[in-house]
Amino acid sequence: MGGAVSAGEDNDELIDNLKEAQYIRTELVEQAFRAIDRADYYLEEFKDNAYKDLAWKHGNIHLSAPCIYSEVMEALDLQPGLSFLNLGSGTGYLSSMVGLILGPFGVNHGVELHSDVIEYAKQKLDFFIKTSDSFDKFEFCEPSFVTGNCLEISPDCTQYDRVYCGAGVQKEHEDYMKNLLKVGGILVMPLEEKLTKITRTGPSAWETKKILAVSFAPLIQPNHADSGKSRLVHLPPVAVRSLQDLARIAIRGTIKKIIHQETMSKNGNGLKNPPRFKRRRVRRRRMETIVFLDKEVFASRISNPSDDNNNCEEFEDERREEEETKAPELKPDPPVNFLREKVLSLPLPDPLKYYLLYYREK
């Protein structure tokens, strides 16, 4: 699946292309996609393909095409504080983007069949938390992953506000998937070769919308040949945050507000000078005039008296533009993590500072 948009040179250009093609349509989804570099979830030797609109698979590791993830994120209609269940959570790429939107009071769970993929996802999550500046720009709902077959979830599990299944669902499993939803919840899944959005409007009422044609590998059916018994998947409990953790969230939020106010005051209420764009040059063409006299045809070129002056001005403008483009480009300054700088400048014991920063390395 994929290939709907042009490849990008980097993550931001890929997102620009997805926006232009209307796969990304809302600001929250755009922010989440820009905050997490897709290449970080690739193995090193395959990173050259990270910004192509194509699915990628290596062994049990799999990533859907960016256009598919975009449609899924938009269809889920994510909001802070919701609960989310990712069936076939894979590398954790989608779960991490969802976590940026859910915020600290959401619930973010994933079920993955392969234990090696779970380990891979945990490594990528740890790398994101420890090294990405995007982590400090959001309040993150960290995903929790469990190993198992998503068709064997314990019947006494809690229901969720949002559910996504990343494998093809057959009609016989549609009701099973629906029962994972709270009333008012949204389920997005590939159902009979169509990416489908199902909204639970009542205890036994549903609205279904087909989004686009897709091709997904089907769900793997449970195998009970060994023991003859089902291996129930027990999802993580919904944890209650400690008072200490709530205090950290509140302090970080207050510091971010202070930074925002300081930035607004420095920039004059946030109004910056609008960017300057080069005026596009339109080359004027001399007009060819055809004159009919009796039965003969005469072709003549009629020049505008001002053409020569205009052409000289154009050539001079073009020459100046060429000189400007030849000038060495200044590299942009590296982004500044203002939250980190502000925390480190506080008159607090170092252990408390590092706790506020989640013990991040940079």
Side-chain angles (χ1 to χ4, degrees):
M1 283 300 301
V5 301
S6 301
E9 291 293 326
D10 56 25
N11 196 65
D12 279 328
E13 189 171 325
L14 173 63
I15 308 314
D16 291 340
N17 294 339
L18 291 168
K19 279 189 66 181
E20 185 177 355
Q22 289 294 299
Y23 284 101
I24 292 178
R25 299 179 290 276
T26 58
E27 186 177 354
L28 275 178
V29 172
E30 179 187 351
Q31 289 175 350
F33 268 87
R34 291 194 189 279
I36 297 183
D37 195 320
R38 181 176 168 88
D40 290 342
Y41 288 79
Y42 274 66
L43 292 170
E44 193 64 37
E45 60 267 33
F46 298 103
K47 285 190 175 183
D48 288 345
N49 295 321
Y51 307 123
K52 296 177 182 178
D53 187 32
L54 297 172
W56 172 66
K57 191 176 191 308
H58 182 77
N60 291 327
I61 302 170
H62 174 264
L63 280 167
S64 293
C67 67
I68 299 298
Y69 282 135
S70 303
E71 287 287 7
V72 169
M73 290 281 285
E74 292 287 356
L76 286 170
D77 189 22
L78 297 161
Q79 303 294 331
L82 296 180
S83 57
F84 171 67
L85 176 61
N86 189 355
L87 303 175
S89 51
T91 65
Y93 172 64
L94 178 67
S95 292
S96 292
M97 288 196 293
V98 169
L100 296 176
I101 298 177
L102 297 182
F105 304 112
V107 175
N108 193 355
H109 293 163
V111 179
E112 170 56 44
L113 182 63
H114 303 288
S115 58
D116 59 325
V117 180
I118 289 275
E119 289 305 311
Y120 185 85
K122 289 179 178 178
Q123 291 171 15
K124 295 303 179 183
L125 175 63
D126 188 58
F127 178 81
F128 169 71
I129 292 174
K130 287 184 176 179
T131 67
S132 175
D133 281 337
S134 295
F135 180 83
D136 282 334
K137 296 176 183 176
F138 297 81
E139 290 301 330
F140 187 47
C141 182
E142 185 175 334
S144 298
F145 306 113
V146 296
T147 306
N149 190 307
C150 65
L151 292 175
E152 296 184 300
I153 293 175
S154 175
D156 60 354
C157 79
T158 184
Q159 293 177 315
Y160 291 79
D161 297 302
R162 301 291 186 267
V163 177
Y164 170 65
C165 181
V169 178
Q170 299 303 314
K171 194 70 177 176
E172 62 192 88
H173 296 127
E174 181 180 355
D175 288 342
Y176 171 88
M177 296 292 176
K178 286 179 176 179
N179 287 330
L180 296 172
L181 273 186
K182 294 179 180 179
V183 173
I186 294 173
L187 164 66
V188 178
M189 62 181 177
L191 180 64
E192 297 185 313
E193 304 299 312
K194 295 283 193 303
L195 189 64
T196 305
K197 175 181 179 178
I198 299 176
T199 305
R200 188 169 194 171
T201 57
S204 56
W206 317 85
E207 288 181 359
T208 301
K209 176 183 177 183
K210 304 293 185 181
I211 301 173
L212 78 164
V214 293
S215 177
F216 277 65
L219 282 172
I220 295 176
Q221 302 299 308
N223 182 5
H224 303 150
D226 295 337
S227 63
K229 294 182 179 180
S230 170
R231 299 171 183 166
L232 289 181
V233 176
H234 296 279
L235 296 172
V238 178
V240 177
R241 289 187 178 271
S242 67
L243 183 58
Q244 185 177 358
D245 198 17
L246 292 173
R248 173 166 57 181
I249 293 168
I251 292 170
R252 284 169 62 93
T254 300
I255 294 173
K256 286 180 181 179
K257 288 179 182 178
I258 293 171
I259 293 170
H260 178 69
Q261 291 169 356
E262 291 175 349
T263 304
M264 293 281 282
S265 61
K266 285 180 182 178
N267 295 332
N269 293 326
L271 296 176
K272 298 181 180 179
N273 294 329
R276 296 179 64 185
F277 298 95
K278 289 184 178 179
R279 181 169 59 88
R280 186 178 179 183
R281 301 294 177 192
V282 180
R283 186 180 295 276
R284 298 179 179 85
R285 296 181 178 178
R286 296 187 178 190
M287 300 298 297
E288 297 286 334
T289 303
I290 308 297
V291 181
F292 292 87
L293 293 177
D294 295 330
K295 295 182 180 180
E296 296 182 345
V297 180
F298 296 87
S300 66
R301 178 169 291 170
I302 301 177
S303 299
N304 188 321
S306 63
D307 275 355
D308 292 338
N309 290 336
N310 287 337
N311 287 335
C312 289
E313 291 176 3
E314 288 175 10
F315 293 143
E316 182 64 23
D317 288 339
E318 289 175 2
R319 185 184 65 79
R320 282 198 296 267
E321 287 183 0
E322 288 176 1
E323 290 178 354
E324 290 175 3
T325 56
K326 289 179 182 177
E329 294 184 0
L330 296 176
K331 292 184 178 180
D333 293 332
V336 178
N337 189 328
F338 293 105
L339 177 66
R340 183 178 184 84
E341 287 192 350
K342 181 68 76 173
V343 169
L344 293 176
S345 70
L346 294 174
L348 297 173
D350 285 346
L352 181 52
K353 291 179 184 179
Y354 296 136
Y355 177 76
L356 289 173
L357 294 171
Y358 287 87
Y359 304 101
R360 300 180 69 239
E361 295 173 357
K362 76 166 192 175

